[in-house]
C-alpha cells in the first residue's frame, strides 16, 4: 500500500514537472515581451537580452495608459465583446437546440451548409460587407461591428453547442415534457444548466475572437476613440519603422490581462452540470 | 399542432440564419457577382459584366505553383491537426488528473498564448524567438555552444517554424475544448472501470475517447478549416513586404494573395476566391464523408 | 440558473444601452451645422500612415495659420492607408478630404479615380519654390496631383567612435573595409543594410543603370544590368547580418555595427541609443563603373480627394497655400529632421546647420524618384523575392532567380488589367 502511495507521489511530481515545463514553453515569448516592456524606454530590442531586465521601469505602461485613449479602447472592447457574446450565444443556443432536438426536414442539409459556408475566407468578405454597411449606414458604428462579429461566430456557436446538446440524454427532458413544460421552458430550465461548460467555452471563444480582432475593427471604425484594444494597438504599431518594441509589448501584455482574468474566473463554472445537476437532481 | 411542430425549429433558428445570411452568405454572393465583372484599378467605379473571362484567366493561373501551394496547404493542415489534437488530448488528460492541485493555475497559464492578438504573437515570435542575431532560440543554441540557425531563410526550417508557432497559438483552444469535454464525462464510468481492472489505455480507448468524440467533432472540423485558411502566420513570419526572409513555400491563401489580390484586380481575385472556396468545399466534403462513414 | 438568466438580461440591457449611444453619436455628427458669423467653420480631415510626430508638427502649424479662417485640420492615422482609400476614397460622408502619403502609390489612386488635381484648387505658381525633383515626382501623366512637403532618401550613417579612419569614396574600398572589419561569428559588422529590401538595394540597382520598371513601365528584373547589380550587392550582403530591419537597426544602435544604410526614420532611435553619429550622402560613393550610388527618393506629399473639391474648395486652397510656404519645412527640420521640399526653407540658419538634412538635400540631385505608376505596387514582391533568394537562401544561379522574378512580375502586371 505504501509502495503504491510512493508511486503516486512520484507520478504526481513528474506530472507537475511536465506541466511546469509546458507552461514555461507557452510563456517564453510572453516573458520575453514582459521583460521588454519593463525595460523602460532605453532598451529597444537588444542582443544581450536576459529574461530579467536589469532595471524595472513602468514607463512604457504609464505612457500607454496616459498618452493613448487606452481606457476608452478597453471599454469599447468590453462593450463589443459582451454584446457579440450575448447575441451570438443567444441566437446560437436557440438554433443549436433546434438542430439537436427537432428532427425536421432540411436539418442535415442546413448543418452541412453552415459548415461549408464557414470555409469562405473571411478577409474576402471585407469589400462586400463594406458595400452593404454603407447602404445600411452602419459604417463607423458599434452595432455594425457587433453584427459582423456575431454573424462570423454564429456558425461556430451553433455547431459547438449542438455537439454538446447531443450528449445530454433526451430522457431528462422527456420526463419534464410529460409535466407539460413548453419547448422554451425545457431549454432554459433543463438543457442550458446541463450544457453550462459548453456555453461557457463557446462564450469565451466568442469573447476572445472579438477581443483579438483588428482588421474589421480598424477598417470599419474611423475615429481613434472608437477603436478596440487590438485595433488601436494595430493602428499605432503596425509598421516596423514606427514601432517602439517596448511600448508595443507593454500594450500587448495589457491587452491580454483581462482575458486571463476571465479565464481564471470561469474555471470553477467549467465543471459539468451533467453529474452535478442532471442525474442527481 | 402538426404545423406548429414543423415551424418550431425554423423559428428557433431564424435569428441566427438572418445574421448568417447578412454576414456570410451575402459576401459570398457579392464576391460571386464581382467575379463576373471587370472591376479593377482602371474600372474602379464603372465596372461592367464580362462573363466568364476572369474564371478562364483564374483557371489558367492554376499552374504548378498553385498545385504546389495546395499540396503544402494540405500537408500543413494534416500535420498541424494531428499534432494539435494528440498534444491537446494528453495535456487535457494531465489537467484532469485528480491529484493535480495546481491544475487551475496551469490551465490559466497555458491559455496565455491565446489571449494575445494573433499578429502580436507572430511579430513577437519573429523578432523575439526566430531572429538570427538576438532571437531567444539562437541565444539558447549559442549558450549550448551550437551554431546559429537562420530559421526562416530556407523552406523546411521555415515550415517547421511556422508549424511550431501555429501549435503554440492553437493549442490553448484545443486544450480548452478537450478539457471541457472531459469534464462532462460521468466519473462513475471510471470508478467501475477501475473496479474491473481496466488500465490506462483501456480507460482512454473505451471511456474517454468515445465520450468526448461527439463533442469534439465540431471543434476539430472547425479548427481544420481555420488551419486550412491560416494566412497570418505564413505571411507575417516569412512573406511580409519589405521583410521577406527567403523561404519560398506558400499556402494557397498566400499564393493567391500574391497572385491576385495585390494586383487590385477585384474581378480576377474574386474569381480566384470562388475557386478556392470550391476547392475547400470539395476538400471538406471528402473529409466529411470519411468522418461520417466512421460514425455510422 | 436564475442568476444566469438575470446575468443574460443585464448583458442585453447593456447592449441596448450601447446601441443607443452609437446612434446618438451619429446624429450629433450630422447635425453640426451651426452658422456663426460670416465664415462657416470648416473641418478638413487628412488621413496618413506616417510618423505621428511629423504629422503633429504639420497639423499644429496648419491650425495656427488657419485659425482666423475658421479652418480646422485634423490628421488621422490609418494603418494600411492604401487599402483604406480603396474603400473610402470617394465616400464623402466617411472618407477623408485629403491624404498625406508617399508619392509612389499616386498612380494607383489616380487610376482609381479618387484624386483631384491640386491645380484644380491652387495655381501652378504655388509650386515655384519647390525642388523640381519633388514636384515632378508628384506628377502623374503630366498632371500635378500631390503637393510635395518633404522627401526622404537613404543615407550612409556611421558611428564616429567605431569607424576607423576616413569613410571611403568608392564602393570597392568600402567593401575592402567591410572584409577587414567584419566578424560575423562575433556579431561584429562594419556596415549593415537591409540587403533584401528593394528600396535599400535601389542605390546599387539604379547606379548600375538597371531599373525595376523599364521606360514602357514593364518589368525589367532579368536585364543584364540588374543581374550585375544584384550580383555586386550580394557580395556586400554576405557581410551584413540577416538584413531584417529590426536586426540591422538594433545592431547599429548597440554599437555592433559601425555603419548602417538607412533613412531619416532611424535617427530618433539612434539618438536615443546615444550613438555619436555622422552622415554621408550615398551619392558620395562611386561604383566601379564610375556612377555614384543612386538611391530612390520618396516624396511625402498631400493630395485632395475628388469629392471634397466641390464642397470645400476654398478651405483646401488655403491649406495647400500654407503648406507650400517655407515655414512648414523649417518647422519639420527643427522637430523631425525631415528634408523639406521647399528650397527657401534651406535659407534658415538652423536648417543649414542640420547635417542630416544637408546630406539628404545633397542626394536630391542624384536620387531617382520612385516610380509612381500603378505597376510599381506589384513589383516590390517579385523584386524582393529575387533579392531574398539570392541574399538569404543563397541561391547559386542568380540568372535563374532573376528569370523567375521576371516571370512572376510579368504575370502580376498582366493581372492588373
Amino acid at each position: 500500500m505504501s509502495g503504491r502511495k510512493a508511486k503516486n507521489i512520484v507520478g504526481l511530481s513528474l506530472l507537475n514537472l511536465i506541466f511546469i515545463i509546458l507552461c514555461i514553453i507557452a510563456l517564453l515569448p510572453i516573458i520575453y515581451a514582459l521583460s521588454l516592456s519593463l525595460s523602460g524606454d532605453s532598451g529597444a530590442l537588444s542582443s544581450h537580452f536576459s529574461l530579467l531586465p536589469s532595471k524595472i521601469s513602468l514607463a512604457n505602461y504609464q505612457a500607454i495608459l496616459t498618452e493613448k485613449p487606452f481606457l476608452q479602447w478597453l471599454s469599447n472592447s468590453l462593450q463589443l465583446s459582451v454584446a457579440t457574446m450575448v447575441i451570438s450565444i443567444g441566437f446560437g443556443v436557440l438554433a443549436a437546440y433546434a438542430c439537436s432536438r427537432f428532427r425536421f426536414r432540411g436539418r442535415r442539409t442546413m448543418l452541412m451548409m453552415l459548415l461549408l459556408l464557414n470555409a469562405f475566407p473571411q478577409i474576402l468578405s471585407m469589400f462586400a460587407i463594406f458595400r452593404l454597411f454603407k447602404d445600411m449606414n452602419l459604417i463607423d458604428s458599434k452595432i455594425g461591428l457587433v453584427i459582423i462579429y456575431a454573424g462570423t461566430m454564429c456558425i461556430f456557436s451553433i455547431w459547438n453547442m449542438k455537439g454538446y446538446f447531443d450528449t445530454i440524454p433526451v430522457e431528462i427532458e422527456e420526463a419534464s415534457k410529460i409535466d407539460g413544460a413548453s419547448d422554451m421552458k425545457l431549454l432554459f430550465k433543463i438543457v442550458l444548466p446541463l450544457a453550462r461548460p459548453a456555453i461557457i467555452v463557446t462564450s469565451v471563444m466568442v469573447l476572445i475572437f472579438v477581443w483579438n480582432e483588428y482588421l474589421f475593427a480598424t477598417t470599419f471604425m474611423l475615429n481613434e476613440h472608437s477603436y478596440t484594444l487590438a485595433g488601436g494597438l494595430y493602428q499605432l504599431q503596425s509598421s516596423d519603422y514606427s514601432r517602439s518594441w517596448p511600448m508595443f509589448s507593454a500594450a500587448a501584455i495589457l491587452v491580454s490581462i483581462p482575458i486571463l482574468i476571465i479565464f481564471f474566473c470561469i474555471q470553477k463554472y467549467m465543471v459539468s452540470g451533467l453529474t452535478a445537476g442532471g442525474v442527481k437532481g | 399542432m402538426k404545423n406548429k411542430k414543423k415551424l418550431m425549429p425554423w423559428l428557433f433558428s431564424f435569428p441566427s440564419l438572418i445574421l448568417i445570411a447578412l454576414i456570410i452568405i451575402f459576401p459570398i454572393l457579392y464576391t460571386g457577382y464581382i467575379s463576373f465583372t471587370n472591376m479593377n484599378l482602371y474600372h474602379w467605379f464603372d465596372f461592367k459584366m464580362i462573363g466568364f473571362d476572369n474564371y478562364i484567366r483564374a483557371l489558367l493561373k492554376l499552374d504548378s505553383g498553385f498545385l504546389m501551394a495546395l499540396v503544402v496547404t494540405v500537408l500543413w493542415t494534416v500535420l498541424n491537426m494531428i499534432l494539435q489534437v494528440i498534444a491537446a488530448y494528453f495535456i487535457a488528460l494531465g489537467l484532469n488528473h485528480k491529484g493535480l492541485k495546481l491544475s487551475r493555475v496551469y490551465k490559466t497559464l497555458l491559455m496565455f498564448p491565446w489571449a494575445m492578438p494573433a499578429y502580436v504573437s507572430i511579430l513577437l515570435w519573429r523578432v523575439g524567438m526566430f531572429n538570427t542575431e538576438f532571437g531567444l532560440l539562437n541565444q539558447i543554441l549559442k549558450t549550448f555552444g551550437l551554431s546559429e540557425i537562420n530559421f526562416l531563410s530556407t523552406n523546411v526550417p521555415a515550415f517547421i517554424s511556422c508549424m511550431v508557432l501555429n501549435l503554440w497559438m492553437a493549442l490553448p483552444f484545443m486544450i480548452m475544448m478537450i478539457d471541457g469535454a472531459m469534464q462532462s464525462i460521468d466519473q462513475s464510468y471510471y470508478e467501475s472501470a477501475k473496479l474491473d481492472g481496466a488500465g490506462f489505455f483501456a480507460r482512454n480507448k473505451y471511456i474517454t475517447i468515445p465520450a468526448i468524440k461527439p463533442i469534439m467533432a465540431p471543434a476539430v472540423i472547425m479548427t481544420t478549416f481555420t488551419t486550412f485558411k491560416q494566412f497570418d502566420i505564413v505571411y507575417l513570419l516569412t512573406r511580409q513586404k519589405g521583410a521577406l526572409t527567403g523561404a519560398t513555400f506558400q499556402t494557397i491563401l498566400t499564393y493567391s494573395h500574391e497572385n491576385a489580390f495585390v494586383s487590385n484586380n477585384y474581378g480576377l481575385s474574386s474569381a480566384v476566391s470562388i475557386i478556392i472556396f470550391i476547392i475547400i468545399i470539395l476538400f471538406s466534403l471528402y473529409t466529411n464523408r470519411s468522418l461520417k462513414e466512421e460514425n455510422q | 440558473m436564475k442568476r444566469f438568466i438575470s446575468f443574460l438580461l443585464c448583458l442585453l440591457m447593456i447592449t441596448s444601452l450601447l446601441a443607443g449611444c452609437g446612434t446618438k453619436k451619429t446624429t450629433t455628427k450630422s447635425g453640426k451645422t451651426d452658422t456663426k458669423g460670416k465664415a462657416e467653420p470648416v473641418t478638413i480631415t487628412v488621413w496618413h500612415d506616417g510618423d505621428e510626430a511629423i504629422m503633429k508638427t504639420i497639423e499644429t502649424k496648419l491650425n495656427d495659420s488657419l485659425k482666423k479662417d475658421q479652418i480646422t485640420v485634423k490628421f488621422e492615422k490609418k494603418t494600411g492607408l492604401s487599402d483604406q482609400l480603396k474603400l473610402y476614397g470617394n465616400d464623402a460622408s466617411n472618407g477623408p478630404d485629403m491624404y498625406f502619403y508617399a508619392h509612389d502609390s499616386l498612380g494607383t489612386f489616380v487610376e482609381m479615380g479618387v484624386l483631384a488635381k491640386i491645380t484644380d484648387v491652387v495655381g501652378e505658381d504655388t509650386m515655384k519654390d519647390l525642388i523640381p525633383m519633388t514636384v515632378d515626382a508628384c506628377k502623374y501623366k503630366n498632371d500635378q496631383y500631390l503637393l510635395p512637403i518633404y522627401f526622404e532618401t537613404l543615407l550612409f550613417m556611421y558611428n564616429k567612435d567605431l569607424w576607423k579612419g576616413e569613410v571611403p569614396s568608392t564602393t570597392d574600398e568600402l567593401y575592402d573595409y567591410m572584409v577587414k572589419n567584419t566578424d560575423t561569428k562575433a556579431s561584429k559588422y562594419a556596415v549593415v543594410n537591409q540587403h533584401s529590401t528593394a528600396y535599400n538595394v535601389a542605390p546599387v540597382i539604379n547606379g548600375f543603370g538597371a531599373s525595376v520598371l523599364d521606360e514602357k513601365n514593364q518589368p525589367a528584373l532579368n536585364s543584364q544590368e540588374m543581374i550585375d547589380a544584384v550580383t555586386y550587392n550580394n557580395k556586400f550582403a554576405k557581410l551584413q547580418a540577416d538584413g531584417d530591419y529590426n536586426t540591422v537597426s538594433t545592431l547599429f544602435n548597440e554599437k555592433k555595427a559601425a555603419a548602417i544604410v538607412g533613412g531619416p526614420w532611424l535617427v530618433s532611435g539612434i539618438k536615443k541609443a546615444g550613438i555619436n553619429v555622422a552622415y554621408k550622402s550615398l551619392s558620395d560613393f562611386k561604383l566601379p563603373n564610375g556612377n555614384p550610388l543612386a538611391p530612390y527618393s520618396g516624396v511625402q506629399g498631400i493630395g485632395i480627394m475628388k469629392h471634397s473639391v466641390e464642397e470645400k474648395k476654398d478651405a483646401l486652397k488655403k491649406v495647400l497655400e500654407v503648406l507650400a510656404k517655407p515655414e512648414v519645412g523649417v518647422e519639420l527640420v527643427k522637430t523631425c529632421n525631415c528634408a523639406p521640399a521647399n528650397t527657401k526653407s534651406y535659407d534658415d540658419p538652423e536648417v543649414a546647420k542640420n547635417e542630416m538634412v544637408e546630406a539628404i538635400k545633397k542626394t536630391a540631385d542624384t536620387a531617382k524618384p520612385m516610380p509612381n505608376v500603378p505597376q510599381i505596387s506589384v513589383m516590390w514582391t517579385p523584386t524582393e523575392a529575387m533579392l531574398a533568394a539570392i541574399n538569404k537562401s543563397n541561391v547559386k544561379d542568380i540568372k535563374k532567380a532573376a528569370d523567375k522574378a521576371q516571370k512572376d512580375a510579368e504575370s502580376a502586371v498582366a493581372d492588373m488589367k
Side-chain angles (χ1 to χ4, degrees):
Chain A
M1 195 64 195
S2 70
R4 186 134 169 238
K5 213 170 189 177
K7 211 177 134 198
N8 254 343
I9 290 173
V10 172
L12 263 180
S13 320
L14 208 65
L15 197 62
N16 273 304
L17 188 71
I18 292 173
F19 270 105
I20 290 168
I21 293 172
L22 273 175
C23 288
I24 290 174
I25 295 175
L27 292 181
L28 207 55
I30 290 147
I31 297 171
Y32 175 91
L34 190 68
S35 152
L36 203 60
S37 69
L38 290 172
S39 67
D41 61 353
S42 64
L45 292 170
S46 168
S47 53
H48 29 77
F49 174 80
S50 65
L51 286 177
L52 290 170
S54 46
K55 63 170 175 65
I56 286 181
S57 140
L58 289 173
N60 293 309
Y61 290 91
Q62 198 193 351
I64 290 170
L65 289 171
T66 52
E67 285 167 24
K68 305 292 168 208
F70 191 85
L71 292 176
Q72 176 84 50
W73 293 347
L74 177 72
S75 127
N76 292 338
S77 274
L78 273 176
Q79 291 173 4
L80 285 172
S81 35
V82 168
T84 308
M85 205 170 87
V86 171
I87 294 177
S88 72
I89 297 294
F91 289 7
V93 159
L94 290 176
Y97 183 72
C99 291
S100 169
R101 287 300 187 257
F102 298 101
R103 290 283 172 271
F104 56 95
R105 256 179 82 166
R107 185 187 75 107
R108 275 201 90 86
T109 331
M110 185 175 101
L111 278 168
M112 260 324 274
M113 282 283 287
L114 288 184
L115 200 58
L116 291 181
L117 287 175
N118 199 43
F120 192 72
Q122 209 208 356
I123 328 168
L124 306 178
S125 319
M126 182 87 79
F127 192 64
I129 295 181
F130 176 79
R131 282 284 157 96
L132 183 71
F133 275 23
K134 210 174 144 181
D135 290 337
M136 292 166 68
N137 229 342
L138 282 174
I139 302 275
D140 203 13
S141 109
K142 282 184 184 137
I143 301 172
L145 268 190
V146 169
I147 293 176
I148 296 178
Y149 294 155
T152 313
M153 290 311 278
C154 213
I155 296 181
F156 170 83
S157 311
I158 296 173
W159 263 87
N160 212 21
M161 290 191 288
K162 181 213 163 261
Y164 204 95
F165 289 173
D166 285 347
T167 64
I168 299 169
V170 196
E171 293 79 31
I172 301 178
E173 282 159 70
E174 267 161 10
S176 323
K177 224 174 211 165
I178 299 164
D179 298 343
S182 73
D183 284 327
M184 267 302 191
K185 214 169 171 188
L186 273 178
L187 176 62
F188 277 102
K189 281 256 143 97
I190 301 193
V191 180
L192 285 190
L194 289 179
R196 196 169 65 190
I199 292 172
I200 291 175
V201 171
T202 319
S203 315
V204 171
M205 286 294 306
V206 174
L207 188 90
I208 290 184
F209 169 79
V210 178
W211 200 263
N212 290 345
E213 204 284 331
Y214 55 93
L215 215 54
F216 281 92
T218 49
T219 306
F220 289 108
M221 287 306 202
L222 296 171
N223 185 319
E224 195 191 28
H225 291 277
S226 43
Y227 292 147
T228 58
L229 280 177
L233 184 57
Y234 178 73
Q235 194 74 267
L236 288 172
Q237 303 280 312
S238 60
S239 145
D240 264 352
Y241 295 87
S242 58
R243 183 182 303 128
S244 143
W245 280 98
M247 201 138 138
F248 178 68
S249 37
I253 299 278
L254 283 179
V255 171
S256 351
I257 286 173
I259 294 286
L260 288 177
I261 295 175
I262 293 173
F263 266 132
F264 199 75
C265 294
I266 57 153
Q267 281 194 18
K268 68 172 182 225
Y269 298 105
M270 283 276 294
V271 187
S272 168
L274 196 63
T275 41
V279 178
K280 284 168 204 155
Chain B
M1 185 65 199
K2 185 98 188 172
N3 252 342
K4 198 184 148 207
K5 193 89 204 151
K6 250 188 190 162
L7 263 174
M8 216 44 188
W10 293 107
L11 216 63
F12 271 64
S13 319
F14 185 70
S16 310
L17 292 181
I18 290 283
L19 263 187
I20 291 165
L22 215 58
I23 298 304
I24 301 193
I25 299 180
F26 171 76
I28 296 176
L29 295 178
Y30 193 82
T31 309
Y33 159 65
I34 293 289
S35 71
F36 290 106
T37 69
N38 66 345
M39 180 178 178
N40 64 26
L41 201 56
Y42 306 95
H43 303 275
W44 197 250
F45 300 113
D46 56 342
F47 51 89
K48 60 175 194 290
M49 299 294 277
I50 52 164
F52 281 92
D53 284 11
N54 286 324
Y55 283 91
I56 295 164
R57 283 174 71 184
L59 285 169
L60 285 176
K61 291 188 79 59
L62 304 186
D63 53 2
S64 55
F66 184 86
L67 284 179
M68 195 57 216
L70 189 63
V71 171
V72 170
T73 313
V74 172
L75 191 72
W76 159 265
T77 313
V78 171
L79 284 178
N80 265 308
M81 287 315 292
I82 292 175
L83 284 174
Q84 211 171 309
V85 172
I86 292 177
Y89 181 78
F90 281 104
I91 293 173
L93 213 56
L95 286 173
N96 276 292
H97 192 280
K98 280 239 177 55
L100 201 66
K101 294 224 173 57
L102 290 171
S103 70
R104 252 176 88 183
V105 177
Y106 292 142
K107 229 184 276 180
T108 309
L109 290 180
L110 286 174
M111 292 302 132
F112 215 126
W114 196 17
M116 263 195 194
Y119 75 93
V120 176
S121 313
I122 298 168
L123 290 180
L124 275 177
W125 272 77
R126 189 170 61 129
V127 169
M129 298 289 118
F130 292 134
N131 188 287
T132 45
E133 296 292 322
F134 45 82
L136 227 45
L137 294 179
N138 270 322
Q139 283 190 49
I140 293 169
L141 286 179
K142 254 195 231 167
T143 48
F144 285 109
L146 298 163
S147 62
E148 290 168 13
I149 296 175
N150 196 341
F151 290 97
L152 303 173
S153 73
T154 41
N155 283 337
V156 175
F159 186 82
I160 295 171
S161 303
C162 287
M163 223 159 76
V164 168
L165 175 53
N166 187 54
L167 270 183
W168 184 83
M169 282 169 60
L171 264 181
F173 167 64
M174 247 332 150
I175 296 173
M176 189 170 178
M177 288 305 302
I178 297 187
D179 180 61
M182 280 182 181
Q183 304 272 345
S184 75
I185 302 171
D186 198 326
Q187 291 301 316
S188 57
Y189 289 137
Y190 289 110
E191 279 150 29
S192 48
K194 234 181 198 155
L195 288 180
D196 294 343
F200 175 76
F201 283 105
R203 266 179 296 162
N204 276 301
K205 195 175 165 199
Y206 296 110
I207 304 174
T208 318
I209 294 177
I212 64 169
K213 214 165 148 189
I215 307 178
M216 287 309 298
V220 171
I221 295 170
M222 298 263 175
T223 319
T224 312
F225 280 131
T226 323
T227 316
F228 196 94
K229 289 193 290 185
Q230 177 55 255
F231 173 79
D232 288 3
I233 292 183
V234 177
Y235 182 76
L236 287 179
L237 214 50
T238 70
R239 308 206 61 83
Q240 206 181 8
K241 196 188 137 201
L244 261 56
T245 60
T248 53
F249 78 91
Q250 305 245 36
T251 67
I252 49 171
L253 275 191
T254 61
Y255 184 83
S256 44
H257 176 83
E258 261 167 37
N259 276 276
F261 300 101
V262 181
S263 66
N264 284 324
N265 190 333
Y266 268 59
L268 183 61
S269 48
S270 296
V272 172
S273 311
I274 296 287
I275 290 175
I276 292 177
F277 185 46
I278 292 171
I279 290 174
I280 298 180
I281 288 181
L282 294 176
F283 177 77
S284 54
L285 281 179
Y286 174 77
T287 44
N288 230 50
R289 180 177 302 152
S290 47
L291 206 87
K292 224 186 278 169
E293 273 159 10
E294 208 183 310
N295 271 348
Q296 279 163 3
Chain C
M1 193 56 221
K2 263 207 187 114
R3 266 176 54 202
F4 184 68
I5 292 178
S6 57
F7 175 65
L8 268 181
L9 280 174
C10 276
L11 291 185
L12 264 173
M13 260 167 66
I14 294 172
T15 328
S16 49
L17 232 136
L18 187 167
C21 288
T23 42
K24 219 182 283 161
K25 222 178 204 168
T26 45
T27 47
T28 48
K29 203 175 177 185
S30 58
K32 194 172 55 186
T33 42
D34 50 310
T35 30
K36 224 192 320 179
K38 36 208 154 44
E40 253 180 61
V42 186
T43 304
I44 300 280
T45 311
V46 186
W47 282 6
H48 71 89
D49 190 7
D51 185 288
E52 299 222 54
I54 298 177
M55 297 305 151
K56 197 89 214 154
T57 307
I58 301 175
E59 186 183 21
T60 317
K61 192 83 201 164
L62 271 174
N63 282 328
D64 286 350
S65 317
L66 294 169
K67 203 181 256 161
K68 55 178 190 312
D69 299 309
Q70 299 223 45
I71 297 169
T72 321
V73 184
K74 256 174 63 195
F75 275 66
E76 287 175 4
K77 183 169 168 93
K78 290 281 163 234
T79 294
L81 181 64
S82 41
D83 287 329
Q84 298 268 26
L85 282 181
K86 277 169 210 164
L87 296 178
Y88 293 105
N90 75 333
D91 185 342
S93 50
N94 298 306
D97 300 303
M98 305 179 98
Y99 87 112
F100 195 110
Y101 207 40
H103 77 277
D104 58 313
S105 57
L106 178 58
T108 307
F109 297 134
V110 175
E111 290 294 352
M112 214 179 269
V114 297
L115 286 190
K117 293 174 208 150
I118 58 165
T119 41
D120 291 352
V121 176
V122 290
E124 294 265 5
D125 58 316
T126 320
M127 261 85 66
K128 67 177 190 303
D129 292 338
L130 308 182
I131 299 174
M133 180 275 288
T134 62
V135 177
D136 290 341
C138 294
K139 274 184 186 156
Y140 180 71
K141 292 187 175 165
N142 289 323
D143 288 318
Q144 192 78 35
Y145 285 95
L146 290 180
L147 178 75
I149 308 293
Y150 68 93
F151 68 101
E152 296 166 330
T153 187
L154 291 175
L155 291 175
F156 184 84
M157 308 179 180
Y158 61 101
N159 186 332
K160 278 193 262 189
D161 302 336
L162 290 182
W163 194 271
K164 296 170 194 147
E166 282 289 297
V167 177
S169 55
T170 68
T171 50
D172 279 343
E173 283 164 24
L174 185 69
Y175 180 71
D176 292 339
Y177 180 92
M178 286 169 72
V179 173
K180 257 184 245 141
N181 293 286
T182 303
D183 180 3
T184 43
K185 279 254 153 50
S187 297
K188 250 191 83 224
Y189 298 93
V191 181
V192 286
N193 183 19
Q194 289 169 255
H195 54 66
S196 302
T197 305
Y199 188 74
N200 286 58
V201 186
V204 180
I205 294 178
N206 296 334
F208 268 77
S211 175
V212 172
L213 285 172
D214 64 17
E215 310 82 59
K216 284 183 227 119
N217 292 325
Q218 288 306 307
L221 295 179
N222 61 351
S223 66
Q224 193 53 48
E225 292 87 1
M226 180 65 82
I227 292 170
D228 293 344
V230 295
T231 311
Y232 187 68
N233 177 63
N234 179 239
K235 216 164 70 161
F236 291 80
K238 289 208 170 86
L239 301 168
Q240 287 177 332
D242 175 55
D244 160 67
Y245 168 78
N246 292 301
T247 314
V248 294
S249 54
T250 306
L251 285 172
F252 186 71
N253 289 347
E254 291 211 306
K255 307 190 172 88
K256 293 192 166 180
I260 187 170
V261 177
W265 49 85
L266 287 175
V267 173
S268 63
I270 292 175
K271 292 252 163 84
K272 222 181 230 172
I275 305 279
N276 184 10
V277 67
Y279 311 95
K280 190 175 162 107
S281 163
L282 283 176
S283 51
D284 289 345
F285 292 92
K286 291 265 184 302
L287 284 163
N289 64 8
N291 291 342
L293 284 175
Y296 272 141
S297 63
V299 179
Q300 299 280 339
I302 193 162
I304 42 188
M305 315 313 293
K306 238 179 205 166
H307 67 78
S308 140
V309 173
E310 290 158 29
E311 281 175 51
K312 301 179 176 172
K313 193 167 178 177
D314 296 333
L316 290 171
K317 181 168 192 263
K318 286 193 176 118
V319 170
L320 288 175
E321 277 167 359
V322 173
L323 284 171
K325 284 185 190 149
E327 286 79 20
V328 178
V330 173
E331 199 64 34
L332 280 173
V333 177
K334 283 180 189 162
T335 52
C336 315
N337 290 307
C338 296
N342 194 316
T343 45
K344 290 217 169 125
S345 306
Y346 294 89
D347 298 340
D348 185 279
E350 207 171 318
V351 176
K353 264 195 315 204
N354 191 314
E355 225 188 304
M356 193 187 81
V357 171
E358 203 52 42
I360 296 180
K361 171 83 190 316
K362 193 174 173 200
T363 324
D365 306 329
T366 47
K368 196 175 156 187
M370 276 192 277
N372 64 10
V373 292
Q375 285 89 328
I376 196 68
S377 65
V378 300
M379 287 304 295
W380 301 125
T381 306
T383 310
E384 293 185 351
M386 167 174 80
L387 293 172
I390 295 167
N391 298 332
K392 292 195 176 181
S393 318
N394 299 314
V395 168
K396 290 276 151 358
D397 193 341
I398 291 180
K399 172 89 174 83
K400 211 170 131 196
D403 285 340
K404 182 177 182 306
Q406 172 72 7
K407 207 180 121 248
D408 290 347
E410 278 168 4
S411 89
V413 168
D415 278 349
M416 297 179 70
K417 292 231 174 189

